[in-house]
Amino acid sequence: MSIPNVPSKRTKLIVRVLLVVLLVLALLVGALYAFVQVKLGAINRFSSGTSDDGDSSTSAVSSWEPTEWAEAGIATSVDGVVNVLLVGQDTRDGERSNSDTMIILSINRNTNQISMVSLMRDIYVQIPGYENNKLNSAYLLGGCDLLDETIATNFGVVIDYNVEVDFTGFKDIVDTLGGIDVEMYQEEADYINGKLKQDTLTEGVNHLTGEEALWYARTRKVGNADFERTERQREVLEIIYEDLKGASWLKLLQVYDSVADNVTTDMTNNQILNIAFSAYSMGQNELNSYRLPIDGTWHSEDSVGSVVDPLVIDDWTANQQTLWSYLYGEDSGTDADSSAETSSAEVSE
């Protein structure tokens, strides 16, 4: 007669310990998930519609157009690529103004690349439902909805999500990090010293406070106007990115708490987490950094009708193709640079 296998006291104890450990882990994961959801809930969300219902007739422009518009085609999403539009603005009394900063942050899971592309605020564009105007006016007229539609119309690129950051939040991030190190030339240092009525900044590497970093990123009175300003903005974002990579979880939480109230997005909590984990899993040491329009494909006008000092793109096809390469190229970092150089050379010939 066979004797049934009876679990020993040792086996029963091990099973109980494992069950307790699993229960504790489940509770910890649940608590962590709830904590994260509460924290992410502090971020502002756009209302049901970010666009305004307004008069579609802005100030008139002349019938003469200084550019030949290219067909952008139907803007489509690309699997494995998420494009987030970062919009920086100086909010006063809760009123929306022209977008001061527009950067496409692209997370490409196919190529393991993260790229930033600055869109110059003064680019003369077609704004759906409105007269042609500068790109930054699309945000004033209809918020992120209209700005996304304008980018799709002119560049053929889909913006998946939007993140609007008030400049107070930018200062808070830098201050929470304890400041950032930025190399300046003398004219930049003198300009910021003058604005802040101080004499602390000099040529070379300076440790900037949030207020100083904001002036550095926003000024276009020094150097090559808005071209150099967009370069500074991406430089500061890269420095912050590097600092955050090496920060502790406690520091990251402090940075988040400092900026959450000044951020507005159309992403859900789960979408934020998915994008954050995708970016983190790539383990990128650097961000690719670009700007549109590309060199040799644009000219400036004193005015087009009532639009003052627009930046007019002469070769839309070159810029559309280059942006596509920046975001979706086989090796975004390498192919995009080659595309920009080729397009620029073709235009100059």
Side-chain angles (χ1 to χ4, degrees):
M1 178 174 134
S2 62
I3 300 174
N5 293 326
V6 178
S8 66
K9 291 183 178 180
R10 179 186 176 89
T11 302
K12 290 180 178 178
L13 178 61
I14 291 174
V15 170
R16 288 174 182 171
V17 170
L18 286 175
L19 288 174
V20 170
V21 170
L22 290 174
L23 178 60
V24 171
L25 286 175
L27 290 172
L28 286 175
V29 170
L32 179 60
Y33 179 79
F35 174 77
V36 170
Q37 292 293 325
V38 169
K39 282 293 183 182
L40 291 178
I43 295 177
N44 301 309
R45 265 40 183 223
F46 291 118
S47 56
S48 57
T50 61
S51 296
D52 289 337
D53 294 325
D55 185 358
S56 63
S57 59
T58 59
S59 52
V61 297
S62 65
S63 59
W64 169 75
E65 286 295 329
T67 185
E68 183 176 341
W69 304 104
E71 290 295 330
I74 298 175
T76 56
S77 298
V78 174
D79 288 341
V81 180
V82 176
N83 295 324
V84 180
L85 183 64
L86 306 180
V87 177
Q89 69 152 354
D90 188 5
T91 303
R92 296 183 178 89
D93 300 324
E95 295 183 0
R96 190 167 60 221
S97 59
N98 289 332
S99 47
D100 199 58
T101 300
M102 292 164 288
I103 297 176
I104 300 175
L105 178 65
S106 183
I107 298 95
N108 190 328
R109 301 184 187 95
N110 303 324
T111 62
N112 235 32
Q113 299 278 338
I114 303 177
S115 302
M116 295 184 296
V117 185
S118 292
L119 302 178
M120 301 284 288
R121 55 178 286 169
D122 292 334
I123 297 175
Y124 187 67
V125 294
Q126 303 172 87
I127 301 179
Y130 294 84
E131 298 285 358
N132 301 337
N133 208 323
K134 294 180 180 180
L135 180 60
N136 66 344
S137 66
Y139 180 77
L140 172 64
L141 294 169
C144 285
D145 284 351
L146 184 58
L147 183 53
D148 293 349
E149 188 179 357
T150 300
I151 291 171
T153 298
N154 290 271
F155 294 103
V157 166
V158 169
I159 299 299
D160 298 292
Y161 305 110
N162 299 274
V163 176
E164 176 190 294
V165 182
D166 182 79
F167 287 124
T168 300
F170 175 86
K171 290 190 296 183
D172 291 343
I173 291 175
V174 174
D175 284 333
T176 304
L177 285 172
I180 58 174
D181 292 329
V182 176
E183 185 170 2
M184 300 181 182
Y185 53 83
Q186 190 63 55
E187 192 176 358
E188 291 173 322
D190 291 342
Y191 180 80
I192 298 172
N193 280 335
K195 286 295 182 180
L196 297 178
K197 296 180 173 55
Q198 62 184 32
D199 58 1
T200 55
L201 303 179
T202 60
E203 185 173 10
V205 177
N206 293 268
H207 192 70
L208 304 185
T209 65
E211 183 76 17
E212 291 167 340
L214 180 58
W215 273 105
Y216 176 77
R218 292 193 66 189
T219 182
R220 55 177 178 168
K221 301 293 185 181
V222 176
N224 191 17
D226 205 38
F227 287 90
E228 198 164 323
R229 179 172 70 163
T230 59
E231 184 178 341
R232 292 189 192 101
Q233 291 168 350
R234 295 192 306 278
E235 176 192 2
V236 168
L237 288 177
E238 288 179 84
I239 293 171
I240 292 175
Y241 175 74
E242 288 295 321
D243 287 352
L244 289 175
K245 283 195 308 181
S248 66
W249 283 105
L250 178 59
K251 177 60 70 173
L252 291 175
L253 185 59
Q254 290 173 340
V255 170
Y256 172 81
D257 285 339
S258 72
V259 74
D261 288 344
N262 297 298
V263 171
T264 304
T265 186
D266 51 9
M267 286 187 279
T268 65
N269 290 353
N270 287 338
Q271 287 168 340
I272 293 173
L273 288 173
N274 287 337
I275 292 173
F277 280 122
S278 292
Y280 179 79
S281 64
M282 291 180 184
Q284 289 298 305
N285 292 324
E286 295 181 354
L287 301 176
N288 298 322
S289 178
Y290 310 111
R291 175 260 296 163
L292 283 186
I294 55 177
D295 292 341
T297 66
W298 61 274
H299 73 277
S300 58
E301 291 280 347
D302 291 335
S303 65
V304 180
S306 60
V307 182
V308 180
D309 295 328
L311 191 157
V312 178
I313 292 180
D314 301 311
D315 190 337
W316 274 99
T317 300
N319 281 276
Q320 291 163 0
Q321 292 175 348
T322 299
L323 179 57
W324 189 268
S325 183
Y326 287 163
L327 305 180
Y328 311 117
E330 288 298 320
D331 182 354
S332 305
T334 302
D335 287 0
D337 286 336
S338 301
S339 176
E341 291 171 3
T342 302
S343 299
S344 180
E346 289 174 351
V347 171
S348 62
E349 286 177 355

